[in-house]
Amino acid sequence: MKVKDAAFIISAVNPGDYPRHGLPEVAFAGRSNVGKSSAINRLVHRKRFAKTSSSPGKTRLLNFFVVNSNLSIVDLPGYGFAKVPEKIRRRWGSMVETYLKTRKELRLTVLLLDARHTPTGQDLQLAEWLRHYRIPSVAVVTKIDKIPRSKWQSQIGKIREGLSGFEGQIIPFSATTGEGRDTLWREIIQACQKEPTELS
Ligand SMILES: Nc1nc2c(ncn2[C@@H]2O[C@H](COP(=O)(O)OP(=O)(O)OP(=O)(O)O)[C@@H](O)[C@H]2O)c(=O)[nH]1
Ligand SMILES: [Mg+2]
């Protein structure tokens, strides 16, 4: 996928603030610090496009981007960051949930998981939630550069199990090496060419 241009559009909290360009949209979801913003940067070949940080909780709003004038990408705030006060954590949760439930343009959710860990309860909850609402999703096992290639398959197997048999594709990915970038682009393009799913 050749990225000719990529632009930050807006940070939003409520549906009234989401952009109204009507473009097919792909959302990046997952635990805080798992590498959502880094994955977006690797996809668009821009180093500091979506802001990243080694301290969790960097992305606190829904950040909307447009790539090649025809694809919308959303960087969602991460969940599961223990140091965030309960009240703010709940606000983040409802921000993400409202987005996933109401956004008509959403064609694919990319669920990011850390290659070194088995999924947490919240990862599983999100995966089940996406299935319940029939939101097409793909799992991306990121930071795969941190484990030897010989362990990839068994680790991915464990992750699938931890997601209680997630049926979608699971892509090994690294924002550092670029592993999985082409595969993820293929999934994104394919999902965006399909008719939007009916969200209930
Ligand atoms: N080695 C390695 N490090 C990565 C990779 N992806 C992200 N990181 C590092 O992990 C840290 C967190 O990355 P972010 O992209 O900011 O994570 P995020 O999911 O957007 O985090 P929040 O915005 O807090 O939800 C940064 O220090 C990144 O450099 C990867 O594929 N490989
Ligand atoms: Mg982020």
Side-chain angles (χ1 to χ4, degrees):
M1 172 72 178
K2 197 159 188 303
V3 175
K4 284 175 286 192
D5 58 77
F8 168 72
I9 304 298
I10 199 170
S11 292
V13 174
N14 301 310
D17 309 323
Y18 302 168
R20 299 203 185 100
H21 43 44
L23 295 173
E25 199 158 272
V26 177
F28 284 68
R31 252 179 43 219
S32 188
N33 214 40
V34 72
K36 298 174 293 298
S37 303
S38 303
I40 293 171
N41 289 340
R42 173 52 85 162
L43 276 179
V44 302
H45 281 318
R46 306 283 195 280
K47 281 230 170 71
R48 273 174 285 278
F49 184 56
K51 289 196 184 68
T52 64
S53 165
S54 53
S55 52
K58 183 72 190 171
T59 311
R60 295 190 170 206
L61 302 165
L62 307 168
N63 289 322
F64 290 83
F65 305 89
V66 168
V67 175
N68 288 353
S69 312
N70 60 13
L71 169 71
S72 177
I73 287 183
V74 187
D75 189 3
L76 297 175
Y79 47 81
F81 177 41
K83 284 193 188 136
V84 173
E86 179 59 28
K87 196 173 147 206
I88 296 180
R89 218 182 311 165
R90 250 184 285 130
R91 192 167 61 90
W92 286 7
S94 73
M95 201 169 24
V96 171
E97 206 170 306
T98 302
Y99 167 81
L100 292 170
K101 251 192 206 165
T102 62
R103 187 66 165 162
K104 298 267 186 295
E105 291 84 349
L106 181 63
R107 301 293 176 84
L108 182 73
T109 297
V110 180
L111 171 58
L112 282 98
L113 301 143
D114 191 312
R116 298 163 299 174
H117 309 297
T118 44
T120 65
Q122 278 170 310
D123 294 327
L124 176 59
Q125 205 180 3
L126 178 58
E128 287 185 338
W129 202 83
L130 292 168
R131 185 160 44 203
H132 176 79
Y133 283 101
R134 283 190 264 137
I135 298 170
S137 45
V138 64
V140 158
V141 172
T142 193
K143 306 194 187 182
I144 200 82
D145 55 284
K146 300 238 188 200
I147 61 169
R149 196 174 277 264
S150 58
K151 298 224 170 95
W152 288 12
Q153 275 323 312
S154 68
Q155 192 57 17
I156 287 170
K158 279 184 205 153
I159 288 173
R160 194 182 285 282
E161 234 172 78
L163 291 179
S164 87
F166 176 78
E167 281 158 15
Q169 203 185 341
I170 300 185
I171 304 170
F173 188 92
S174 167
T176 305
T177 67
E179 176 74 40
R181 178 183 183 267
D182 294 347
T183 311
L184 180 54
W185 263 128
R186 265 200 301 280
E187 289 296 310
I188 290 174
I189 290 164
Q190 203 186 18
C192 289
Q193 281 163 350
K194 284 185 193 147
E195 288 300 306
T197 39
E198 282 294 316
L199 298 180
S200 44

